[in-house]
Amino acid sequence: MGGLTHLIVFVSMFVSITLISEAQYRLPIMIYEPSKQYYTSISLRSPNMYSVTFLLDLGTNLTWLDCRELESLSSLRFITCQSSTCKSIPGSGCDRKSCLYLQPNPLGKRVTGRVVQGAATFSTKDGGRQLVSLPRFTFSCANQLLPLPVSGVLSLSPAGEFSFWRQVTTAFNVAPKFALCLPSSIFGIGHFYVGGVNSYNIPPFNASNPLPMTLTPLKNIDSGKYIISPTSIYVAGIPLSLKPSLLDGGAKISTVVPYTLLQTDIYNALASAFTRKATKMGMSKVPGTAPFKTCFDEGGSGRNIEEFMNVPVIEIGLPGRAGEVKWRFHGANTVVRVSETVICLAFVDGGKKPIEPMVIGTHQFQDYMIEFDLSTSRMAISDSLLSHKTSCFNTI
């Protein structure tokens, strides 16, 4: 029995080590400037390797693609209704023998497609740059035209077995987490990391000089959303006077909403506090420019929003390991330039009764490293990379 016990312990240790492999898989992230949304590129066999662009969506449960983009469907395996794969996809349905999936489309009406499997290829820097293949990538093959340059939507939801990051981490036995570093410019390429490492190579940061990260819990990930729990909001270090119940619904993180949406009462409190501080700094309020309601003329002072002290700092208080921690938004993430001299508060009034009181959009976390660790149900937020004289597209 002693030998059997030792064998069980050894096998358990081996499995544990395998599951926390520090292999890292890295895909590019590009910004589509007209919509302020982000996409990546994956190669599918069709029957030759064919590069396809996918919109990144934290809220989609199953990746889908307009399969008319492919050269041929001959290399795809169509999933049947009676298969274990189809039965394990929540919300799946049937059309004769084919497994179907209906899901929301962040760019328009809901999409129905046949569930298929095919080989997906992308790059990794584990042991040097090389291509790796996911031989049984499960996705939905729909007939739905999307605006260029996007051909489909990449699922990054925390729910279920078939989001892209989950399929990769399961197939390669790596830690169930991923990270996004969104570039702020069309001239740079950001990065989408899948798998477990303790550091990211963003000069000057590396394994011996790790990027500072702040941890906060993720709330109710079974909902299929990434939600954090704001405890307060600050402008220039001063907390807003808000009814605590306004923040009870939490804040959803979104990669398809370009600017943070706030419930009307939260927005009004933020805009008022920001305006008071901005006018004291010498800015003049001017009429809004849709979708922004709070705008300012910088005058002749030659301010530059990339310089962090030129506009009031906005902070979101969040629960941390030892009390409240803060997610700080500086100039480049706080305002947006709409003309040579006019800047606007880059937060949008989301209405009186939204589903979530806050939806944090991509403008607010450009040039931050945001990591979602599903093994611990926590999100890690870096300092603004711009504050360290680097950015999301300054990676190696």
Side-chain angles (χ1 to χ4, degrees), residues 8 28 86-87 114 120 144 155 175 187 189 224 280 294 366 382:
I8 292 172
C86 187
K87 292 177 180 179
R114 289 192 289 175
Q144 175 71 43
S155 163
F187 302 108
I189 295 178
K280 288 181 180 179
T294 306
Q366 288 174 346
S382 75

Side-chain angles (χ1 to χ4, degrees), residues 330-356:
H330 301 275
N333 301 96
T334 302
V335 297
V336 60
R337 186 173 296 283
V338 297
S339 74
E340 186 175 344
T341 62
V342 175
I343 59 174
C344 297
L345 179 64
F347 292 75
V348 176
D349 185 344
K352 288 290 290 184
K353 295 182 178 180
I355 297 173
E356 290 92 10

Side-chain angles (χ1 to χ4, degrees), residues 62 64 99-103 111-115 139-143:
L62 182 69
W64 66 268
C99 183
L100 299 180
Y101 190 72
L102 173 67
Q103 62 187 5
V111 174
T112 300
R114 289 192 289 175
V115 180
F139 61 99
S140 174
C141 209
N143 289 329

